[in-house]
Amino acid sequence: MDTYSGLNEKQTEAVLQTEGPVLILAGAGSGKTRVLTHRVAYLIEEKQVNPWNILAITFTNKAAGEMRERVDRIVGAGGASVWVSTFHSACVRFLRRFIDRLGYETNFTIYDGDDQKSLMKDICKRMQLDPKIYKERALLAAISSAKDELIGPEAYARINMGDFKKEKISRVYEEYQAQLKKSNALDFDDLIMKTVELFQTCPDVLEHFQERFRYLMVDEYQDTNTAQFHLVRLLAEKYRNLCVVGDDDQSIYKFRGANIGNILGFEKVFPDATVIRLEQNYRSTQSILSAANEVIKNNAGRKKKTLWTENEKGEPVHFRQFLTGFEEAEYIVGDISKKAGAGQCNYGDCAILYRTNAQSRLFEEKLLMGNIPYKLVGGVNFYARKEIKDLLSYLKTVDNARDDLAVSRIINVPKRGIGATTIGRVQTFAAAEGIGFYEALKRAEEIPSLGRGALKIQPFVTFIQTLRSQTEYLTVAQLLKEIIEQTGYVKELEAEGTDEAKARIENIDELISKAVSYDESTEEPLLSEFLEEVALVADIDTVDDEQDRVLLMTLHSAKGLEFSQVYLAGMEDGIFPSYMTMMSDDSDALEEERRLCYVGITRAMKDLTLTCAQQRMIRGETQYNKVSRFIREIPRELVDLGKNPLSPSKKPSPARTALNQLKRDFHAKAFQQPKQFAVKMNQPLTYKEGDQVRHRKFGTGKVLAIVSGGKDYEVTVDFEKAGVKKMFAGFAKLEKV
């Protein structure tokens, strides 16, 4: 038992509780990965469980890789047989063996987001849908939500019978699935949904995997959706040795379909479950944890737990309020530069976190001006870049010629003189014959309307067929190099000679490196396996821990990471929590935003700085926002205010605001109000300074100031939810409450 001597009491309890359903409520930084890996070791070494009877599931490749390394380190040689996988990777492996039971071929393609958009665009065009009413992204979101709940096209149509718009969506959903099947392709949601369908319709397949995985562990359980819950439940149904680890306080992916009810209601599904709370934090100082506890305790929908640590108390949480977003960015970048220059930290120890991607621009500009290296997490995914998608589409066509999207993408890349008209005629022939696009290309000479166009298609088909015949003895890297050489793809970019072309060549070199790395790490390299691996890569998996760069990312991207120095920017009502959340009647939405704040705070190990601006440019308009309610939930004794008083009501000095010129123009009567809206100055307003008023969009608020401008009144109102707004009385139509 020496292996387990470093565990605390609750961690040890979680490791030793191996039989039956177990819920481990693991607070942020409480060592849950350590518990899971030691649990695997205990099952193998002490309980004599065969390693291949253990399945450990997590959400990201990065997390799975870390767990894999730790298992191998603790268990040694025997650990290699333990399945450590993401949900999607595990399902791909299940489906590669048995998806033929559902009418698919086992060499199916996995469609990424861009592939889905291309397919949906084509469907909308063929169904002649009005793009103003039926937007591709909204249609895909509706289909994804349905799949998360295991609702297929037929069930979706049944549920939404009588709703004209949703009935139309159900027809789109049906066509979308038909096209995927025709291309022998699955999207990410299908990977889970089709696995559940396979288990439900093929009891022998389910029993096979139940026998194989007698001990099941699921990490980040609070992030599971309904489909993933059913997948886990089915696998664990026979032996019931299911251990789920999660933190309801870190459930922040509702927009992706995550169902917090899975973790909150675990004991209802498994009444005999053992519940163990891990509350000792090994990451942060007590000051940071106290702030996190004070914020999250305001949520009603949670399982009570309080983080504590044996670490030092540390510095209080720093709060800084600035006049503008520019000053906020200037301060944060300056503080990082100062600390790095003084040797207090490296750039890689620092992270700037924010609510939305749009907030990154100011920080990027300031970091560039300061010559500070940084990495933006959540930008364009490497595998979504044009040159990478082109070359991957060649590989997909070689591996699975039924993937119409991949074939269509490269038929004229590089240019072969095969235009849209020719492609359209081939697609028409394919539809008439009930065959795939590539099969139609192979029969191009049978299409009378093509004429000489068939001669241009033949070399492409010959090239693909030649490559397909070489897959048995060429590695993935060799195949990729052959495609690059034969198509002249890189030569064309070299001929361009631009900086953009050079960057694209560098990306292609990186793809070749990835292929070589894959070939070297695999005993039997398979093209389908390589394509599957790159298809399952997430943005956060590209974060390189070795690079000394400041990381910029949204709070959602930061989950699972930790940094010595964290700057949480834009802490204002209307930004975080978002304006939409504050205006919503859904209390669950605000609770999710608060959980997101909790996640942000608990990323910090030693130093946490919270910042906000009194005025900020949003969509070209200057907005005045209150200090975020989440900051106001932190007790004053935990906060260092520096030189900036914590004063939500303080407004910027008129002498320093960007509204000066506008005010002068206003008083000079330059603004001519339309007659139908203008308030005549001889008609007194029904409210005065200090009154409570209601606005049809912003809700209720207090009138701070009323200024006469000749043609109309300028009214300043501090709204309860929307913050301070300046408006003309004629447009505002405020009503006294």
Side-chain angles (χ1 to χ4, degrees):
M1 290 291 288
D2 290 345
T3 312
Y4 317 105
S5 58
L7 301 174
N8 66 40
E9 184 183 343
K10 286 295 179 181
Q11 288 175 331
T12 303
E13 183 184 346
V15 167
L16 301 183
Q17 184 62 48
T18 59
E19 308 305 305
V22 180
L23 169 61
I24 301 175
L25 291 170
S30 60
K32 64 183 176 63
T33 307
R34 195 166 181 231
V35 168
L36 283 174
T37 49
H38 279 79
R39 201 169 187 275
V40 170
Y42 182 75
L43 283 168
I44 296 170
E45 294 171 356
E46 305 295 332
K47 303 288 286 186
Q48 304 301 308
V49 173
N50 291 321
W52 53 86
N53 288 146
I54 303 170
L55 171 62
I57 299 180
T58 186
F59 271 81
T60 67
N61 293 314
K62 185 180 175 70
E66 287 175 1
M67 193 183 294
R68 170 87 273 160
E69 283 179 20
R70 292 205 204 181
V71 167
D72 290 347
R73 196 161 58 239
I74 296 173
V75 179
S81 301
V82 177
W83 262 36
V84 181
S85 175
T86 64
F87 267 104
H88 291 100
S89 295
C91 287
V92 169
R93 292 176 75 174
F94 297 156
L95 294 171
R96 287 284 182 221
R97 287 191 62 184
F98 293 106
I99 199 172
D100 55 325
R101 301 281 195 96
L102 301 179
Y104 290 77
E105 292 178 20
T106 53
N107 65 332
F108 57 84
T109 299
I110 303 168
Y111 274 15
D112 63 15
D114 283 346
D115 296 330
Q116 290 177 270
K117 285 176 200 167
S118 298
L119 176 57
M120 185 56 73
K121 188 175 183 179
D122 181 54
I123 289 171
C124 290
K125 191 175 177 182
R126 282 193 282 108
M127 294 181 71
Q128 298 181 324
L129 297 178
D130 185 343
K132 292 179 181 177
I133 300 174
Y134 301 97
K135 299 185 186 301
E136 293 152 22
R137 193 169 285 183
L139 290 168
L140 285 169
I143 291 171
S144 178
S145 295
K147 289 182 179 182
D148 284 345
E149 297 298 320
L150 295 177
I151 299 170
E154 290 181 10
Y156 190 89
R158 212 165 41 245
I159 293 167
N160 296 295
M161 196 176 294
D163 184 321
F164 177 79
K165 188 172 182 180
K166 288 189 175 178
E167 282 184 346
K168 184 76 78 173
I169 293 173
S170 72
R171 288 195 285 275
V172 172
Y173 185 6
E174 186 178 4
E175 180 62 18
Y176 174 78
Q177 288 304 109
Q179 290 301 318
L180 279 174
K181 190 163 187 180
K182 182 185 168 191
S183 294
N184 194 38
L186 304 177
D187 64 19
F188 276 87
D189 297 314
D190 280 331
L191 295 176
I192 311 292
M193 189 175 181
K194 290 296 177 187
T195 304
V196 173
E197 183 184 337
L198 177 68
F199 287 169
Q200 289 176 332
T201 56
C202 305
D204 60 318
V205 174
L206 174 59
E207 187 174 9
H208 168 81
F209 286 114
Q210 286 175 337
E211 287 294 332
R212 172 70 194 272
F213 302 118
R214 300 188 178 198
Y215 290 85
L216 183 61
M217 283 174 266
V218 183
D219 194 10
E220 304 289 4
Y221 190 66
Q222 77 281 348
D223 294 336
T224 53
N225 59 32
T226 301
Q228 289 162 335
F229 162 74
H230 282 286
L231 173 70
V232 169
R233 183 183 57 78
L234 285 166
L235 277 172
E237 206 167 41
K238 185 169 185 179
Y239 290 101
R240 303 184 85 253
N241 295 323
L242 170 64
C243 172
V244 300
V245 185
D247 182 4
D248 50 300
D249 289 335
Q250 295 186 71
S251 179
I252 58 172
Y253 293 124
K254 186 178 181 180
F255 68 98
R256 290 185 192 168
N259 183 355
I260 193 173
N262 289 348
I263 191 166
L264 293 179
F266 187 81
E267 293 145 278
K268 290 182 180 177
V269 180
F270 300 98
D272 57 334
T274 302
V275 181
I276 301 166
R277 286 173 167 78
L278 303 183
E279 297 173 296
Q280 182 175 356
N281 177 284
Y282 292 90
R283 175 190 299 156
S284 309
T285 64
Q286 187 58 56
S287 292
I288 291 169
L289 295 181
S290 296
N293 288 331
E294 290 295 328
V295 170
I296 200 63
K297 76 178 187 183
N298 291 282
N299 272 5
R302 65 185 291 259
K303 289 180 177 289
K304 188 179 178 183
K305 58 188 151 328
T306 303
L307 295 182
W308 61 277
T309 185
E310 292 180 349
N311 295 342
E312 61 182 355
K313 182 180 180 182
E315 292 189 27
V317 173
H318 310 297
F319 172 68
R320 300 290 183 267
Q321 186 177 29
F322 302 94
L323 183 67
T324 66
F326 290 96
E327 290 183 10
E328 176 188 49
E330 198 167 56
Y331 171 81
I332 289 176
V333 173
D335 198 50
I336 291 172
S337 179
K338 183 176 72 177
K339 287 177 179 175
Q344 295 175 10
C345 68
N346 296 318
Y347 291 131
D349 297 327
C350 305
I352 303 174
L353 311 181
Y354 36 77
R355 180 65 182 83
T356 63
N357 276 309
Q359 292 171 257
S360 71
R361 182 183 63 83
L362 288 175
F363 297 109
E364 288 192 77
E365 289 175 2
K366 296 295 181 185
L367 288 163
L368 284 168
M369 288 170 62
N371 201 28
I372 295 174
Y374 72 90
K375 178 178 176 63
L376 181 66
V377 177
V380 178
N381 187 308
F382 175 78
Y383 295 105
R385 299 175 193 274
K386 180 187 181 303
E387 60 278 8
I388 303 302
K389 284 195 72 71
D390 285 346
L391 293 173
L392 288 178
S393 290
Y394 267 104
L395 292 175
K396 285 178 181 179
T397 301
V398 172
D399 182 56
N400 172 24
R402 282 178 58 184
D403 186 347
D404 288 356
L405 268 184
V407 182
S408 301
R409 184 182 181 97
I410 57 165
I411 183 72
N412 201 36
V413 176
K415 289 189 174 16
R416 300 182 173 89
I418 302 172
T421 304
T422 300
I423 292 171
R425 286 170 178 166
V426 175
Q427 287 173 332
T428 302
F429 177 78
E433 293 290 316
I435 57 176
F437 183 63
Y438 184 72
E439 284 300 310
L441 290 174
K442 286 165 70 176
R443 293 168 55 183
E445 71 280 355
E446 298 177 31
I447 309 173
S449 58
L450 279 187
R452 297 182 64 183
L455 298 175
K456 296 175 181 177
I457 290 172
Q458 190 55 47
F460 171 75
V461 172
T462 303
F463 175 52
I464 296 299
Q465 290 299 104
T466 302
L467 290 171
R468 296 189 83 180
S469 67
Q470 295 173 334
T471 54
E472 288 186 20
Y473 56 87
L474 287 184
T475 66
V476 175
Q478 289 170 337
L479 197 59
L480 181 58
K481 289 175 183 175
E482 186 73 11
I483 290 168
I484 293 168
E485 180 66 30
Q486 294 298 324
T487 59
Y489 198 104
V490 170
K491 287 177 183 174
E492 277 199 8
L493 290 172
E494 287 172 341
E496 278 184 38
T498 63
D499 288 341
E500 184 184 351
K502 288 176 185 174
R504 288 186 168 184
I505 293 170
E506 288 172 2
N507 288 335
I508 291 170
D509 290 341
E510 182 61 27
L511 181 63
I512 294 171
S513 298
K514 166 66 181 174
V516 170
S517 174
Y518 166 76
D519 289 335
E520 290 176 349
S521 64
T522 311
E523 286 185 18
E524 293 183 28
L526 296 173
L527 178 56
S528 58
E529 192 177 73
F530 172 77
L531 290 169
E532 166 194 315
E533 192 172 300
V534 299
L536 297 174
V537 172
D539 282 345
I540 199 63
D541 294 325
T542 65
V543 174
D544 186 350
D545 296 332
E546 301 302 315
Q547 292 183 331
D548 189 26
R549 300 179 182 182
V550 176
L551 283 184
L552 301 180
M553 66 182 85
T554 63
L555 287 151
H556 283 101
S557 296
K559 187 168 173 295
L561 303 178
E562 58 183 35
F563 306 93
S564 172
Q565 315 285 319
V566 168
Y567 297 85
L568 232 172
M571 296 295 292
E572 302 137 39
D573 277 355
I575 305 293
F576 188 37
S578 68
Y579 175 74
M580 291 294 291
T581 301
M582 292 195 315
M583 299 304 287
S584 169
D585 294 329
D586 183 6
S587 61
D588 290 344
L590 182 61
E591 294 213 347
E592 176 136 346
E593 288 280 287
R594 188 174 282 110
R595 292 195 292 270
L596 193 55
C597 181
Y598 174 83
V599 166
I601 292 172
T602 54
R603 296 313 92 198
M605 299 165 71
K606 292 184 178 178
D607 204 82
L608 173 66
T609 302
L610 307 170
T611 64
C612 69
Q614 293 175 332
Q615 65 182 49
R616 191 181 294 275
M617 190 73 78
I618 306 289
R619 291 179 292 278
E621 298 177 358
T622 300
Q623 289 190 5
Y624 299 88
N625 297 315
K626 292 179 179 180
V627 173
S628 171
R629 64 194 61 200
F630 301 147
I631 285 182
R632 301 200 299 270
E633 289 169 356
I634 302 173
R636 172 67 183 82
E637 61 269 18
L638 296 176
V639 181
D640 152 42
L641 302 179
K643 296 178 182 178
N644 300 300
L646 182 61
S647 176
S649 60
K650 184 184 174 186
K651 305 295 177 291
S653 163
R656 297 182 64 194
T657 68
L659 291 173
N660 284 347
Q661 187 59 47
L662 290 175
K663 279 179 172 286
R664 284 196 288 274
D665 291 344
F666 172 71
H667 288 296
K669 303 179 185 179
F671 179 79
Q672 294 297 317
Q673 190 74 279
K675 288 181 181 178
Q676 66 268 34
F677 291 116
V679 174
K680 293 179 181 178
M681 298 302 290
N682 59 4
Q683 290 181 349
L685 295 173
T686 58
Y687 48 84
K688 61 185 185 299
E689 290 184 11
D691 283 349
Q692 289 288 320
V693 293
R694 180 181 288 108
H695 185 276
R696 61 185 177 184
K697 179 180 178 183
F698 301 128
T700 58
K702 182 180 180 181
V703 178
L704 299 180
I706 300 174
V707 181
S708 171
K711 291 286 184 182
D712 200 353
Y713 296 100
E714 181 193 62
V715 185
T716 304
V717 183
D718 185 0
F719 290 102
E720 292 173 5
K721 290 187 175 182
V724 177
K725 305 286 182 186
K726 289 181 184 290
M727 55 195 75
F728 292 113
F731 282 108
K733 295 184 178 178
L734 298 167
E735 298 175 1
K736 184 177 177 181
V737 178

